Amino acid sequence: MIHTKVTKKKFQKHKLGKSLDKKDDEVLQVNQLKLQLRKPGMAENEDVEKDSASWDAQMDYYKNANTKMFRQYELACDRVKQFYEEQHEKQTVAYNIQARINFKTKTRAKMSVWEGLEKLNRLLDDSDPDTELSQIDHALQTAEAIRRDGQPRWFQLVGLIHDLGKLLYFFDSQGQWDVVGDTFPVGCKFLSRIIFPESFKKNSDFTNPLYNTKYGIYSKHCGLDKVMLSWGHDEYMYHVAKNNSTLPQEALAMIRYHSFYPWHLENAYTYLMDDHDTKMLEAVRAFNKYDLYSKNDQQYDVDELKSYYLELIDEYFPKKVIEF
């Protein structure tokens, strides 16, 4: 009886989250309309579809990259492995429901996007085996690689802000385990194509019959927007951008799913996808190549590039000060 009451309570919270998500979708539609009004004669969707049709043809930066040099988790230092052990143990359905309620019910800070980038510069990502550069260095590496290939301006901006959600670490996170790292669905079986899958055995959902089946609490081809991914900087920044920017859906998908490597790299969880996810997958994969293969020791002059990116931020974030 106790278990039934707890489960019912969880689903009531989940229902609340869905109704709040509906409000966010309405905000997104309004923002998209604003962008179209600011650019008479050109529908944003038409521009995105034209660019999406030639993702690979436009991408030159990563073509000569040695892909085997990246994501070598078997060679990763102890801090990376320890990070994933903690993340996989603590990312439960119960925690994810509560994290989303916390997000919906409070504002953590009010500042500009650039101020957020400067604040983020103090964080070293314990989950990343590929770089130990600052966050703003990685942001500029990604954005400049995208810009060098002549990709759309909104795409360049995604490169700059895709990791801005790591600001969670300075607000109400419980560590890095609920901020960074590869993401994965909770509420259904943890698949072997997630990094370090054996560490999920310590997760309390691992033996829960409600959550440990193929579909768990979801249904076939329900769509990823109905699936809870492990809470972290992707999901957080997705909602911040959706509520405060005029970025197109492809851009929002890049932000929301860029750490969902089991999906866009390992082809896992395809049975949860709907038709919209199939289209978004192309965009996410296009972005991921810039995100991953732009990591090197090159550092850009922040002051030299600042004015260009401030203009880019103002173009898609109409309010200079936003709620994080």
Side-chain angles (χ1 to χ4, degrees), residues 231-265:
W231 178 256
H233 73 283
D234 297 42
E235 188 73 7
Y236 169 56
M237 189 59 203
Y238 160 74
H239 285 291
V240 171
K242 186 166 74 167
N243 292 340
N244 293 280
S245 79
T246 55
L247 288 167
Q249 289 188 346
E250 280 78 358
L252 296 175
M254 291 173 179
I255 294 170
R256 191 176 203 177
Y257 301 125
H258 74 270
S259 299
F260 190 11
Y261 279 91
W263 177 55
H264 64 69
L265 183 65

PDB file of all heavy atoms in Angstrom, residues 231-265:
ATOM      1  N   TRP A 231      18.607  14.382 -15.747  1.00  0.00           N
ATOM      2  CA  TRP A 231      18.637  15.832 -15.579  1.00  0.00           C
ATOM      3  C   TRP A 231      20.073  16.357 -15.591  1.00  0.00           C
ATOM      4  O   TRP A 231      20.969  15.781 -14.986  1.00  0.00           O
ATOM      5  CB  TRP A 231      17.971  16.218 -14.265  1.00  0.00           C
ATOM      6  CG  TRP A 231      17.998  17.689 -13.981  1.00  0.00           C
ATOM      7  CD1 TRP A 231      18.802  18.341 -13.093  1.00  0.00           C
ATOM      8  CD2 TRP A 231      17.176  18.691 -14.596  1.00  0.00           C
ATOM      9  NE1 TRP A 231      18.537  19.683 -13.111  1.00  0.00           N
ATOM     10  CE2 TRP A 231      17.544  19.933 -14.017  1.00  0.00           C
ATOM     11  CE3 TRP A 231      16.169  18.664 -15.572  1.00  0.00           C
ATOM     12  CZ2 TRP A 231      16.936  21.129 -14.391  1.00  0.00           C
ATOM     13  CZ3 TRP A 231      15.571  19.854 -15.931  1.00  0.00           C
ATOM     14  CH2 TRP A 231      15.946  21.073 -15.355  1.00  0.00           C
ATOM     15  N   GLY A 232      20.272  17.465 -16.298  1.00  0.00           N
ATOM     16  CA  GLY A 232      21.596  18.061 -16.355  1.00  0.00           C
ATOM     17  C   GLY A 232      21.586  19.325 -17.185  1.00  0.00           C
ATOM     18  O   GLY A 232      20.528  19.923 -17.423  1.00  0.00           O
ATOM     19  N   HIS A 233      22.761  19.722 -17.661  1.00  0.00           N
ATOM     20  CA  HIS A 233      22.874  21.017 -18.331  1.00  0.00           C
ATOM     21  C   HIS A 233      22.150  21.071 -19.665  1.00  0.00           C
ATOM     22  O   HIS A 233      21.691  22.137 -20.081  1.00  0.00           O
ATOM     23  CB  HIS A 233      24.346  21.394 -18.524  1.00  0.00           C
ATOM     24  CG  HIS A 233      25.069  20.612 -19.574  1.00  0.00           C
ATOM     25  ND1 HIS A 233      25.510  19.319 -19.376  1.00  0.00           N
ATOM     26  CD2 HIS A 233      25.455  20.937 -20.849  1.00  0.00           C
ATOM     27  CE1 HIS A 233      26.135  18.904 -20.462  1.00  0.00           C
ATOM     28  NE2 HIS A 233      26.115  19.856 -21.373  1.00  0.00           N
ATOM     29  N   ASP A 234      21.996  19.929 -20.357  1.00  0.00           N
ATOM     30  CA  ASP A 234      21.277  19.920 -21.640  1.00  0.00           C
ATOM     31  C   ASP A 234      19.813  20.308 -21.459  1.00  0.00           C
ATOM     32  O   ASP A 234      19.303  21.229 -22.105  1.00  0.00           O
ATOM     33  CB  ASP A 234      21.321  18.528 -22.276  1.00  0.00           C
ATOM     34  CG  ASP A 234      22.712  18.068 -22.617  1.00  0.00           C
ATOM     35  OD1 ASP A 234      23.619  18.277 -21.796  1.00  0.00           O
ATOM     36  OD2 ASP A 234      22.892  17.484 -23.695  1.00  0.00           O
ATOM     37  N   GLU A 235      19.145  19.570 -20.579  1.00  0.00           N
ATOM     38  CA  GLU A 235      17.713  19.789 -20.368  1.00  0.00           C
ATOM     39  C   GLU A 235      17.469  21.185 -19.792  1.00  0.00           C
ATOM     40  O   GLU A 235      16.532  21.884 -20.189  1.00  0.00           O
ATOM     41  CB  GLU A 235      17.159  18.719 -19.430  1.00  0.00           C
ATOM     42  CG  GLU A 235      15.651  18.716 -19.285  1.00  0.00           C
ATOM     43  CD  GLU A 235      14.919  18.181 -20.510  1.00  0.00           C
ATOM     44  OE1 GLU A 235      15.582  17.683 -21.436  1.00  0.00           O
ATOM     45  OE2 GLU A 235      13.673  18.267 -20.524  1.00  0.00           O
ATOM     46  N   TYR A 236      18.306  21.581 -18.871  1.00  0.00           N
ATOM     47  CA  TYR A 236      18.177  22.900 -18.236  1.00  0.00           C
ATOM     48  C   TYR A 236      18.316  24.017 -19.264  1.00  0.00           C
ATOM     49  O   TYR A 236      17.465  24.910 -19.359  1.00  0.00           O
ATOM     50  CB  TYR A 236      19.234  23.012 -17.143  1.00  0.00           C
ATOM     51  CG  TYR A 236      19.408  24.390 -16.557  1.00  0.00           C
ATOM     52  CD1 TYR A 236      18.337  25.080 -15.997  1.00  0.00           C
ATOM     53  CD2 TYR A 236      20.660  25.003 -16.549  1.00  0.00           C
ATOM     54  CE1 TYR A 236      18.506  26.348 -15.444  1.00  0.00           C
ATOM     55  CE2 TYR A 236      20.837  26.256 -16.003  1.00  0.00           C
ATOM     56  CZ  TYR A 236      19.760  26.927 -15.453  1.00  0.00           C
ATOM     57  OH  TYR A 236      19.930  28.176 -14.922  1.00  0.00           O
ATOM     58  N   MET A 237      19.376  23.977 -20.079  1.00  0.00           N
ATOM     59  CA  MET A 237      19.596  25.051 -21.056  1.00  0.00           C
ATOM     60  C   MET A 237      18.551  25.020 -22.158  1.00  0.00           C
ATOM     61  O   MET A 237      18.184  26.069 -22.717  1.00  0.00           O
ATOM     62  CB  MET A 237      21.005  24.945 -21.648  1.00  0.00           C
ATOM     63  CG  MET A 237      21.388  26.165 -22.509  1.00  0.00           C
ATOM     64  SD  MET A 237      21.308  27.706 -21.543  1.00  0.00           S
ATOM     65  CE  MET A 237      21.089  28.907 -22.851  1.00  0.00           C
ATOM     66  N   TYR A 238      18.053  23.834 -22.487  1.00  0.00           N
ATOM     67  CA  TYR A 238      16.979  23.726 -23.478  1.00  0.00           C
ATOM     68  C   TYR A 238      15.777  24.556 -23.042  1.00  0.00           C
ATOM     69  O   TYR A 238      15.217  25.339 -23.827  1.00  0.00           O
ATOM     70  CB  TYR A 238      16.575  22.268 -23.658  1.00  0.00           C
ATOM     71  CG  TYR A 238      15.208  22.078 -24.264  1.00  0.00           C
ATOM     72  CD1 TYR A 238      14.977  22.312 -25.617  1.00  0.00           C
ATOM     73  CD2 TYR A 238      14.130  21.666 -23.467  1.00  0.00           C
ATOM     74  CE1 TYR A 238      13.713  22.152 -26.168  1.00  0.00           C
ATOM     75  CE2 TYR A 238      12.874  21.497 -24.010  1.00  0.00           C
ATOM     76  CZ  TYR A 238      12.658  21.740 -25.361  1.00  0.00           C
ATOM     77  OH  TYR A 238      11.406  21.586 -25.898  1.00  0.00           O
ATOM     78  N   HIS A 239      15.380  24.415 -21.786  1.00  0.00           N
ATOM     79  CA  HIS A 239      14.219  25.157 -21.293  1.00  0.00           C
ATOM     80  C   HIS A 239      14.514  26.655 -21.196  1.00  0.00           C
ATOM     81  O   HIS A 239      13.645  27.490 -21.508  1.00  0.00           O
ATOM     82  CB  HIS A 239      13.780  24.606 -19.936  1.00  0.00           C
ATOM     83  CG  HIS A 239      13.070  23.298 -20.024  1.00  0.00           C
ATOM     84  ND1 HIS A 239      11.819  23.162 -20.577  1.00  0.00           N
ATOM     85  CD2 HIS A 239      13.447  22.049 -19.649  1.00  0.00           C
ATOM     86  CE1 HIS A 239      11.443  21.900 -20.530  1.00  0.00           C
ATOM     87  NE2 HIS A 239      12.413  21.202 -19.978  1.00  0.00           N
ATOM     88  N   VAL A 240      15.725  27.026 -20.778  1.00  0.00           N
ATOM     89  CA  VAL A 240      16.103  28.435 -20.710  1.00  0.00           C
ATOM     90  C   VAL A 240      16.039  29.058 -22.106  1.00  0.00           C
ATOM     91  O   VAL A 240      15.483  30.146 -22.301  1.00  0.00           O
ATOM     92  CB  VAL A 240      17.513  28.604 -20.110  1.00  0.00           C
ATOM     93  CG1 VAL A 240      17.987  30.047 -20.258  1.00  0.00           C
ATOM     94  CG2 VAL A 240      17.516  28.201 -18.642  1.00  0.00           C
ATOM     95  N   ALA A 241      16.597  28.360 -23.092  1.00  0.00           N
ATOM     96  CA  ALA A 241      16.602  28.879 -24.463  1.00  0.00           C
ATOM     97  C   ALA A 241      15.200  28.913 -25.055  1.00  0.00           C
ATOM     98  O   ALA A 241      14.835  29.860 -25.769  1.00  0.00           O
ATOM     99  CB  ALA A 241      17.524  28.031 -25.344  1.00  0.00           C
ATOM    100  N   LYS A 242      14.408  27.912 -24.772  1.00  0.00           N
ATOM    101  CA  LYS A 242      13.048  27.866 -25.317  1.00  0.00           C
ATOM    102  C   LYS A 242      12.198  29.014 -24.773  1.00  0.00           C
ATOM    103  O   LYS A 242      11.375  29.595 -25.493  1.00  0.00           O
ATOM    104  CB  LYS A 242      12.391  26.525 -25.000  1.00  0.00           C
ATOM    105  CG  LYS A 242      11.029  26.350 -25.657  1.00  0.00           C
ATOM    106  CD  LYS A 242      10.537  24.920 -25.617  1.00  0.00           C
ATOM    107  CE  LYS A 242      10.064  24.513 -24.251  1.00  0.00           C
ATOM    108  NZ  LYS A 242       9.304  23.224 -24.296  1.00  0.00           N
ATOM    109  N   ASN A 243      12.425  29.367 -23.513  1.00  0.00           N
ATOM    110  CA  ASN A 243      11.629  30.414 -22.877  1.00  0.00           C
ATOM    111  C   ASN A 243      12.121  31.823 -23.193  1.00  0.00           C
ATOM    112  O   ASN A 243      11.365  32.784 -23.042  1.00  0.00           O
ATOM    113  CB  ASN A 243      11.633  30.228 -21.354  1.00  0.00           C
ATOM    114  CG  ASN A 243      10.892  28.979 -20.923  1.00  0.00           C
ATOM    115  OD1 ASN A 243      10.073  28.444 -21.660  1.00  0.00           O
ATOM    116  ND2 ASN A 243      11.190  28.498 -19.731  1.00  0.00           N
ATOM    117  N   ASN A 244      13.373  31.951 -23.621  1.00  0.00           N
ATOM    118  CA  ASN A 244      13.960  33.290 -23.743  1.00  0.00           C
ATOM    119  C   ASN A 244      14.503  33.637 -25.119  1.00  0.00           C
ATOM    120  O   ASN A 244      14.936  34.767 -25.333  1.00  0.00           O
ATOM    121  CB  ASN A 244      15.105  33.443 -22.737  1.00  0.00           C
ATOM    122  CG  ASN A 244      14.630  33.432 -21.294  1.00  0.00           C
ATOM    123  OD1 ASN A 244      14.152  34.437 -20.779  1.00  0.00           O
ATOM    124  ND2 ASN A 244      14.755  32.283 -20.645  1.00  0.00           N
ATOM    125  N   SER A 245      14.500  32.692 -26.057  1.00  0.00           N
ATOM    126  CA  SER A 245      15.118  32.958 -27.353  1.00  0.00           C
ATOM    127  C   SER A 245      14.152  32.714 -28.505  1.00  0.00           C
ATOM    128  O   SER A 245      13.056  32.186 -28.319  1.00  0.00           O
ATOM    129  CB  SER A 245      16.349  32.063 -27.550  1.00  0.00           C
ATOM    130  OG  SER A 245      15.975  30.746 -27.930  1.00  0.00           O
ATOM    131  N   THR A 246      14.596  33.095 -29.703  1.00  0.00           N
ATOM    132  CA  THR A 246      13.839  32.842 -30.925  1.00  0.00           C
ATOM    133  C   THR A 246      14.544  31.793 -31.781  1.00  0.00           C
ATOM    134  O   THR A 246      14.354  31.742 -32.993  1.00  0.00           O
ATOM    135  CB  THR A 246      13.674  34.143 -31.735  1.00  0.00           C
ATOM    136  OG1 THR A 246      14.970  34.715 -31.991  1.00  0.00           O
ATOM    137  CG2 THR A 246      12.831  35.152 -30.974  1.00  0.00           C
ATOM    138  N   LEU A 247      15.364  30.952 -31.159  1.00  0.00           N
ATOM    139  CA  LEU A 247      16.085  29.912 -31.880  1.00  0.00           C
ATOM    140  C   LEU A 247      15.111  28.889 -32.475  1.00  0.00           C
ATOM    141  O   LEU A 247      14.092  28.573 -31.853  1.00  0.00           O
ATOM    142  CB  LEU A 247      17.064  29.198 -30.936  1.00  0.00           C
ATOM    143  CG  LEU A 247      18.296  30.003 -30.517  1.00  0.00           C
ATOM    144  CD1 LEU A 247      19.008  29.319 -29.356  1.00  0.00           C
ATOM    145  CD2 LEU A 247      19.248  30.183 -31.703  1.00  0.00           C
ATOM    146  N   PRO A 248      15.413  28.358 -33.669  1.00  0.00           N
ATOM    147  CA  PRO A 248      14.526  27.362 -34.301  1.00  0.00           C
ATOM    148  C   PRO A 248      14.574  26.019 -33.571  1.00  0.00           C
ATOM    149  O   PRO A 248      15.439  25.781 -32.718  1.00  0.00           O
ATOM    150  CB  PRO A 248      15.105  27.232 -35.710  1.00  0.00           C
ATOM    151  CG  PRO A 248      16.537  27.595 -35.568  1.00  0.00           C
ATOM    152  CD  PRO A 248      16.575  28.672 -34.523  1.00  0.00           C
ATOM    153  N   GLN A 249      13.643  25.135 -33.903  1.00  0.00           N
ATOM    154  CA  GLN A 249      13.546  23.847 -33.225  1.00  0.00           C
ATOM    155  C   GLN A 249      14.811  23.008 -33.381  1.00  0.00           C
ATOM    156  O   GLN A 249      15.198  22.283 -32.458  1.00  0.00           O
ATOM    157  CB  GLN A 249      12.343  23.063 -33.764  1.00  0.00           C
ATOM    158  CG  GLN A 249      11.013  23.640 -33.338  1.00  0.00           C
ATOM    159  CD  GLN A 249       9.841  22.756 -33.713  1.00  0.00           C
ATOM    160  OE1 GLN A 249       9.980  21.835 -34.518  1.00  0.00           O
ATOM    161  NE2 GLN A 249       8.691  23.021 -33.140  1.00  0.00           N
ATOM    162  N   GLU A 250      15.459  23.098 -34.541  1.00  0.00           N
ATOM    163  CA  GLU A 250      16.697  22.351 -34.729  1.00  0.00           C
ATOM    164  C   GLU A 250      17.747  22.776 -33.713  1.00  0.00           C
ATOM    165  O   GLU A 250      18.491  21.949 -33.180  1.00  0.00           O
ATOM    166  CB  GLU A 250      17.227  22.535 -36.155  1.00  0.00           C
ATOM    167  CG  GLU A 250      16.544  21.683 -37.204  1.00  0.00           C
ATOM    168  CD  GLU A 250      15.194  22.214 -37.620  1.00  0.00           C
ATOM    169  OE1 GLU A 250      14.735  23.250 -37.069  1.00  0.00           O
ATOM    170  OE2 GLU A 250      14.565  21.593 -38.506  1.00  0.00           O
ATOM    171  N   ALA A 251      17.837  24.062 -33.468  1.00  0.00           N
ATOM    172  CA  ALA A 251      18.798  24.578 -32.497  1.00  0.00           C
ATOM    173  C   ALA A 251      18.475  24.070 -31.092  1.00  0.00           C
ATOM    174  O   ALA A 251      19.374  23.658 -30.341  1.00  0.00           O
ATOM    175  CB  ALA A 251      18.792  26.108 -32.517  1.00  0.00           C
ATOM    176  N   LEU A 252      17.190  24.086 -30.742  1.00  0.00           N
ATOM    177  CA  LEU A 252      16.788  23.616 -29.419  1.00  0.00           C
ATOM    178  C   LEU A 252      17.068  22.122 -29.252  1.00  0.00           C
ATOM    179  O   LEU A 252      17.462  21.673 -28.172  1.00  0.00           O
ATOM    180  CB  LEU A 252      15.304  23.906 -29.195  1.00  0.00           C
ATOM    181  CG  LEU A 252      14.927  25.385 -29.162  1.00  0.00           C
ATOM    182  CD1 LEU A 252      13.413  25.544 -29.053  1.00  0.00           C
ATOM    183  CD2 LEU A 252      15.626  26.122 -28.028  1.00  0.00           C
ATOM    184  N   ALA A 253      16.898  21.362 -30.331  1.00  0.00           N
ATOM    185  CA  ALA A 253      17.204  19.924 -30.271  1.00  0.00           C
ATOM    186  C   ALA A 253      18.702  19.700 -30.092  1.00  0.00           C
ATOM    187  O   ALA A 253      19.121  18.798 -29.353  1.00  0.00           O
ATOM    188  CB  ALA A 253      16.715  19.227 -31.538  1.00  0.00           C
ATOM    189  N   MET A 254      19.515  20.503 -30.767  1.00  0.00           N
ATOM    190  CA  MET A 254      20.969  20.393 -30.598  1.00  0.00           C
ATOM    191  C   MET A 254      21.364  20.603 -29.147  1.00  0.00           C
ATOM    192  O   MET A 254      22.215  19.883 -28.601  1.00  0.00           O
ATOM    193  CB  MET A 254      21.676  21.427 -31.476  1.00  0.00           C
ATOM    194  CG  MET A 254      21.578  21.181 -32.971  1.00  0.00           C
ATOM    195  SD  MET A 254      22.271  22.589 -33.899  1.00  0.00           S
ATOM    196  CE  MET A 254      22.069  22.026 -35.590  1.00  0.00           C
ATOM    197  N   ILE A 255      20.756  21.606 -28.514  1.00  0.00           N
ATOM    198  CA  ILE A 255      21.055  21.896 -27.111  1.00  0.00           C
ATOM    199  C   ILE A 255      20.553  20.769 -26.213  1.00  0.00           C
ATOM    200  O   ILE A 255      21.272  20.299 -25.323  1.00  0.00           O
ATOM    201  CB  ILE A 255      20.414  23.237 -26.701  1.00  0.00           C
ATOM    202  CG1 ILE A 255      21.072  24.396 -27.465  1.00  0.00           C
ATOM    203  CG2 ILE A 255      20.508  23.449 -25.195  1.00  0.00           C
ATOM    204  CD1 ILE A 255      20.365  25.729 -27.306  1.00  0.00           C
ATOM    205  N   ARG A 256      19.338  20.305 -26.460  1.00  0.00           N
ATOM    206  CA  ARG A 256      18.705  19.331 -25.555  1.00  0.00           C
ATOM    207  C   ARG A 256      19.326  17.939 -25.638  1.00  0.00           C
ATOM    208  O   ARG A 256      19.420  17.240 -24.620  1.00  0.00           O
ATOM    209  CB  ARG A 256      17.214  19.229 -25.893  1.00  0.00           C
ATOM    210  CG  ARG A 256      16.412  18.452 -24.860  1.00  0.00           C
ATOM    211  CD  ARG A 256      14.934  18.467 -25.183  1.00  0.00           C
ATOM    212  NE  ARG A 256      14.130  18.236 -23.996  1.00  0.00           N
ATOM    213  CZ  ARG A 256      12.795  18.247 -23.966  1.00  0.00           C
ATOM    214  NH1 ARG A 256      12.129  18.483 -25.085  1.00  0.00           N
ATOM    215  NH2 ARG A 256      12.144  18.043 -22.839  1.00  0.00           N
ATOM    216  N   TYR A 257      19.783  17.544 -26.822  1.00  0.00           N
ATOM    217  CA  TYR A 257      20.206  16.151 -27.006  1.00  0.00           C
ATOM    218  C   TYR A 257      21.697  15.973 -27.301  1.00  0.00           C
ATOM    219  O   TYR A 257      22.128  14.857 -27.584  1.00  0.00           O
ATOM    220  CB  TYR A 257      19.405  15.517 -28.149  1.00  0.00           C
ATOM    221  CG  TYR A 257      17.914  15.515 -27.928  1.00  0.00           C
ATOM    222  CD1 TYR A 257      17.046  16.084 -28.864  1.00  0.00           C
ATOM    223  CD2 TYR A 257      17.349  14.939 -26.789  1.00  0.00           C
ATOM    224  CE1 TYR A 257      15.669  16.088 -28.673  1.00  0.00           C
ATOM    225  CE2 TYR A 257      15.976  14.941 -26.579  1.00  0.00           C
ATOM    226  CZ  TYR A 257      15.148  15.510 -27.529  1.00  0.00           C
ATOM    227  OH  TYR A 257      13.791  15.509 -27.336  1.00  0.00           O
ATOM    228  N   HIS A 258      22.498  17.032 -27.209  1.00  0.00           N
ATOM    229  CA  HIS A 258      23.890  16.878 -27.654  1.00  0.00           C
ATOM    230  C   HIS A 258      24.701  15.931 -26.760  1.00  0.00           C
ATOM    231  O   HIS A 258      25.702  15.382 -27.197  1.00  0.00           O
ATOM    232  CB  HIS A 258      24.574  18.239 -27.794  1.00  0.00           C
ATOM    233  CG  HIS A 258      24.935  18.916 -26.511  1.00  0.00           C
ATOM    234  ND1 HIS A 258      24.092  19.772 -25.839  1.00  0.00           N
ATOM    235  CD2 HIS A 258      26.079  18.893 -25.778  1.00  0.00           C
ATOM    236  CE1 HIS A 258      24.679  20.228 -24.760  1.00  0.00           C
ATOM    237  NE2 HIS A 258      25.892  19.712 -24.685  1.00  0.00           N
ATOM    238  N   SER A 259      24.259  15.718 -25.524  1.00  0.00           N
ATOM    239  CA  SER A 259      24.950  14.763 -24.650  1.00  0.00           C
ATOM    240  C   SER A 259      24.284  13.384 -24.638  1.00  0.00           C
ATOM    241  O   SER A 259      24.733  12.495 -23.913  1.00  0.00           O
ATOM    242  CB  SER A 259      25.007  15.305 -23.216  1.00  0.00           C
ATOM    243  OG  SER A 259      25.720  16.510 -23.149  1.00  0.00           O
ATOM    244  N   PHE A 260      23.236  13.212 -25.433  1.00  0.00           N
ATOM    245  CA  PHE A 260      22.514  11.938 -25.487  1.00  0.00           C
ATOM    246  C   PHE A 260      23.226  11.012 -26.477  1.00  0.00           C
ATOM    247  O   PHE A 260      22.682  10.608 -27.496  1.00  0.00           O
ATOM    248  CB  PHE A 260      21.066  12.206 -25.903  1.00  0.00           C
ATOM    249  CG  PHE A 260      20.136  11.026 -25.779  1.00  0.00           C
ATOM    250  CD1 PHE A 260      20.496   9.861 -25.120  1.00  0.00           C
ATOM    251  CD2 PHE A 260      18.859  11.095 -26.325  1.00  0.00           C
ATOM    252  CE1 PHE A 260      19.633   8.784 -25.017  1.00  0.00           C
ATOM    253  CE2 PHE A 260      17.977  10.033 -26.236  1.00  0.00           C
ATOM    254  CZ  PHE A 260      18.369   8.873 -25.578  1.00  0.00           C
ATOM    255  N   TYR A 261      24.464  10.659 -26.150  1.00  0.00           N
ATOM    256  CA  TYR A 261      25.303   9.847 -27.037  1.00  0.00           C
ATOM    257  C   TYR A 261      24.734   8.456 -27.328  1.00  0.00           C
ATOM    258  O   TYR A 261      24.904   7.953 -28.451  1.00  0.00           O
ATOM    259  CB  TYR A 261      26.717   9.734 -26.468  1.00  0.00           C
ATOM    260  CG  TYR A 261      27.571  10.936 -26.760  1.00  0.00           C
ATOM    261  CD1 TYR A 261      27.625  12.012 -25.873  1.00  0.00           C
ATOM    262  CD2 TYR A 261      28.332  11.028 -27.925  1.00  0.00           C
ATOM    263  CE1 TYR A 261      28.401  13.132 -26.136  1.00  0.00           C
ATOM    264  CE2 TYR A 261      29.115  12.141 -28.199  1.00  0.00           C
ATOM    265  CZ  TYR A 261      29.143  13.187 -27.299  1.00  0.00           C
ATOM    266  OH  TYR A 261      29.915  14.289 -27.565  1.00  0.00           O
ATOM    267  N   PRO A 262      24.078   7.799 -26.372  1.00  0.00           N
ATOM    268  CA  PRO A 262      23.503   6.480 -26.710  1.00  0.00           C
ATOM    269  C   PRO A 262      22.541   6.559 -27.891  1.00  0.00           C
ATOM    270  O   PRO A 262      22.411   5.591 -28.647  1.00  0.00           O
ATOM    271  CB  PRO A 262      22.772   6.089 -25.419  1.00  0.00           C
ATOM    272  CG  PRO A 262      23.491   6.824 -24.346  1.00  0.00           C
ATOM    273  CD  PRO A 262      23.885   8.141 -24.957  1.00  0.00           C
ATOM    274  N   TRP A 263      21.898   7.702 -28.064  1.00  0.00           N
ATOM    275  CA  TRP A 263      20.942   7.897 -29.159  1.00  0.00           C
ATOM    276  C   TRP A 263      21.632   8.328 -30.445  1.00  0.00           C
ATOM    277  O   TRP A 263      21.572   7.616 -31.459  1.00  0.00           O
ATOM    278  CB  TRP A 263      19.900   8.936 -28.750  1.00  0.00           C
ATOM    279  CG  TRP A 263      18.900   9.277 -29.816  1.00  0.00           C
ATOM    280  CD1 TRP A 263      18.097   8.405 -30.502  1.00  0.00           C
ATOM    281  CD2 TRP A 263      18.584  10.587 -30.313  1.00  0.00           C
ATOM    282  NE1 TRP A 263      17.299   9.097 -31.390  1.00  0.00           N
ATOM    283  CE2 TRP A 263      17.575  10.434 -31.295  1.00  0.00           C
ATOM    284  CE3 TRP A 263      19.045  11.874 -30.013  1.00  0.00           C
ATOM    285  CZ2 TRP A 263      17.025  11.511 -31.982  1.00  0.00           C
ATOM    286  CZ3 TRP A 263      18.498  12.961 -30.690  1.00  0.00           C
ATOM    287  CH2 TRP A 263      17.496  12.776 -31.667  1.00  0.00           C
ATOM    288  N   HIS A 264      22.309   9.473 -30.416  1.00  0.00           N
ATOM    289  CA  HIS A 264      22.806  10.028 -31.688  1.00  0.00           C
ATOM    290  C   HIS A 264      24.117   9.394 -32.148  1.00  0.00           C
ATOM    291  O   HIS A 264      24.485   9.526 -33.315  1.00  0.00           O
ATOM    292  CB  HIS A 264      22.920  11.550 -31.632  1.00  0.00           C
ATOM    293  CG  HIS A 264      23.914  12.100 -30.661  1.00  0.00           C
ATOM    294  ND1 HIS A 264      25.270  11.969 -30.810  1.00  0.00           N
ATOM    295  CD2 HIS A 264      23.734  12.843 -29.524  1.00  0.00           C
ATOM    296  CE1 HIS A 264      25.887  12.589 -29.818  1.00  0.00           C
ATOM    297  NE2 HIS A 264      24.983  13.114 -29.022  1.00  0.00           N
ATOM    298  N   LEU A 265      24.817   8.669 -31.285  1.00  0.00           N
ATOM    299  CA  LEU A 265      26.051   8.012 -31.698  1.00  0.00           C
ATOM    300  C   LEU A 265      25.900   6.495 -31.774  1.00  0.00           C
ATOM    301  O   LEU A 265      26.405   5.860 -32.702  1.00  0.00           O
ATOM    302  CB  LEU A 265      27.188   8.365 -30.734  1.00  0.00           C
ATOM    303  CG  LEU A 265      28.568   7.805 -31.096  1.00  0.00           C
ATOM    304  CD1 LEU A 265      29.068   8.416 -32.412  1.00  0.00           C
ATOM    305  CD2 LEU A 265      29.579   8.078 -29.975  1.00  0.00           C
TER     306      LEU A 265
END
